[in-house]
Amino acid sequence: YATLSYCWGGDQSTATRTHNYVDYLQGICLASLPKTIQDAVTVARKLDLKYLWIDSMCIIQDSEDHKRHEIGRMESIYYNSYITISASWASNCHEGMLKTRKPIDTMINLPFQCANKEIGTVSMMCWGCPTRSPSIGPFDTMEYYPEKEPINDRAWTLQESFMSRRRLIFTQFQVFWTCRDVWGSDGGRQGRPYNEELSCQSIRKLEYADWISIAEGYSRKDLTDPTDKLDALSSIASYFSRFLQDQYLAGLWEKELLRQLCWRADTAYRTKFTVGTRKTKRSEVRCAPSWSFLSIMGPITFKMPRLSASGAALDPVCSVLGCDVEPISQEAPFGKVSHGRLTIKGHLLQ
């Protein structure tokens, strides 16, 4: 089966709900669905895949019990998918992804006489010259820059791309595909993956530093409902827990808890393409314990102590007496929590 990763861009009137669930079991009119979903069905059929998993269609949206059940399975859903179809450049579900691509703005079209004497067109561009296109970089490396695509602004889609073993990515200017070993694009170019995305395929050995990178990147993404902060990161946390063999505590890990508590708001942040400023504030609704970075809406950064000036390890001046986090549902142990309590012993600064 295939999975779809895309931007909703608002509520979907055709999503599965309790009132249409029985009717949908009998059949669904493809023409009634948003254009991106229609295009995903087309791609899956072209790939001879019989099944396609789409969150808005496969999760009963007005059933909290079914949501929790499926959120608890999100890791396995995307990891076991044959391929994830990514509508990378569509900012909402109605834009679609199977459209005539815009030409690269540094390309020059010239007349060309074909072998059969017909006059065609050959497209030329400067070899190695950087383009001004938002999706691709220098032509000779065919780089794909995820940060420039709308789908990568969304928090929910992070775990979808992270857990996918193969992806077919429809960008504004090209189609890319990636798996564990190879990164390629339409036109026949392929090579070792260039992009710096962290994923279950790119990380050979998981470390706590990888979690920090993911957490900082995740904090810069948009989320419509603040109460989804834990859920939208849950499948990645589940994946990490198996390798780290550590207790997950609402965004932090028990064995590194003291160091990972050293986070702060990052109102001025830098990415590969931009220097951004973004207001950071405490969520008005309870979405995570106050000591977790997931309780903050906006960018955060970790400032963890490493070594002293002499190179010696720093001794902590406080200790954790206890930390207790209770998930709302045992079906989603890495999702929403009902409460979280942290007790620390240390010096109090006035």
Side-chain angles (χ1 to χ4, degrees), residues 54-88:
I54 304 172
D55 55 2
S56 64
M57 307 303 298
C58 298
I59 300 177
I60 304 175
Q61 298 299 314
D62 56 355
S63 170
E64 291 301 319
D65 289 339
H66 194 246
K67 277 186 178 181
R68 284 194 290 267
H69 176 75
E70 291 300 295
I71 286 172
R73 299 176 57 243
M74 206 66 71
E75 177 195 357
S76 63
I77 288 173
Y78 278 90
Y79 185 80
N80 292 317
S81 167
Y82 179 77
I83 195 168
T84 292
I85 302 165
S86 177
S88 186

Side-chain angles (χ1 to χ4, degrees), residues 68-117:
R68 284 194 290 267
H69 176 75
E70 291 300 295
I71 286 172
R73 299 176 57 243
M74 206 66 71
E75 177 195 357
S76 63
I77 288 173
Y78 278 90
Y79 185 80
N80 292 317
S81 167
Y82 179 77
I83 195 168
T84 292
I85 302 165
S86 177
S88 186
W89 72 286
S91 59
N92 63 67
C93 63
H94 302 290
E95 290 187 8
M97 54 185 170
L98 299 182
K99 295 182 178 181
T100 301
R101 293 285 185 269
K102 293 182 179 180
I104 300 173
D105 54 10
T106 55
M107 189 174 291
I108 301 172
N109 295 320
L110 299 174
F112 178 79
Q113 183 173 345
C114 303
N116 59 3
K117 305 300 181 181

